[in-house]
Amino acid sequence: QVQLVESGGGLVQPGGSLRLSCAASGNIFRINVMGWYRQVPGKQRELVASVSSGGTTNYADSVKGRFTISRDNAKNTVYLQMNSLKPEDTAVYFCNAEGRPNPVALYVNNYWGQGTQVTVSS
């Protein structure tokens, strides 16, 4: 059993900042990629940013230059620093982790957090 526990969401004014955190725990051998997705009602969940175990990052065009993803491999924790927030960033943000469950597994599992609400409004 693997758990992803998110924190840091909330209400912020346009132009403000928030920092999301997500800690993974449980039965997982190695986490390859960790990332953040977001979803608004009636739309598909979309990738916001991801980071590999080696530190390679990937961002959605809409957040480049404003959001920064980082990771602490020793703590299996991923962070999302969100600056210059806009109303269109309002969504439920989900943490995601992809990893091998044990040393001999030839497959990876995908794990999701419960989601944290981010609301950008004046």
Side-chain angles (χ1 to χ4, degrees), residues 31-70:
I31 298 177
N32 298 331
V33 181
M34 298 188 80
W36 291 94
Y37 289 70
R38 66 187 181 187
Q39 189 170 23
V40 297
K43 291 191 175 181
Q44 284 190 332
R45 192 172 295 186
E46 63 173 5
L47 174 68
V48 176
S50 65
V51 56
S52 72
S53 57
T56 300
T57 57
N58 181 41
Y59 294 94
D61 287 342
S62 59
V63 306
K64 283 181 181 176
R66 301 187 297 122
F67 291 9
T68 302
I69 191 168
S70 60

Side-chain angles (χ1 to χ4, degrees), residues 11-103:
L11 172 64
V12 64
Q13 291 188 340
S17 298
L18 281 175
R19 188 186 192 221
L20 305 182
S21 300
C22 171
S25 62
N27 239 357
I28 186 165
F29 169 63
R30 180 170 294 151
I31 298 177
N32 298 331
V33 181
M34 298 188 80
W36 291 94
Y37 289 70
R38 66 187 181 187
Q39 189 170 23
V40 297
K43 291 191 175 181
Q44 284 190 332
R45 192 172 295 186
E46 63 173 5
L47 174 68
V48 176
S50 65
V51 56
S52 72
S53 57
T56 300
T57 57
N58 181 41
Y59 294 94
D61 287 342
S62 59
V63 306
K64 283 181 181 176
R66 301 187 297 122
F67 291 9
T68 302
I69 191 168
S70 60
R71 176 173 173 172
D72 185 334
N73 288 330
K75 296 181 179 180
N76 279 339
T77 299
V78 63
Y79 307 95
L80 185 68
Q81 178 66 43
M82 304 185 293
N83 298 328
S84 302
L85 282 160
K86 305 175 181 179
E88 50 264 42
D89 295 317
T90 296
V92 178
Y93 284 69
F94 295 90
C95 177
N96 174 266
E98 176 192 282
R100 291 166 60 196
N102 57 69

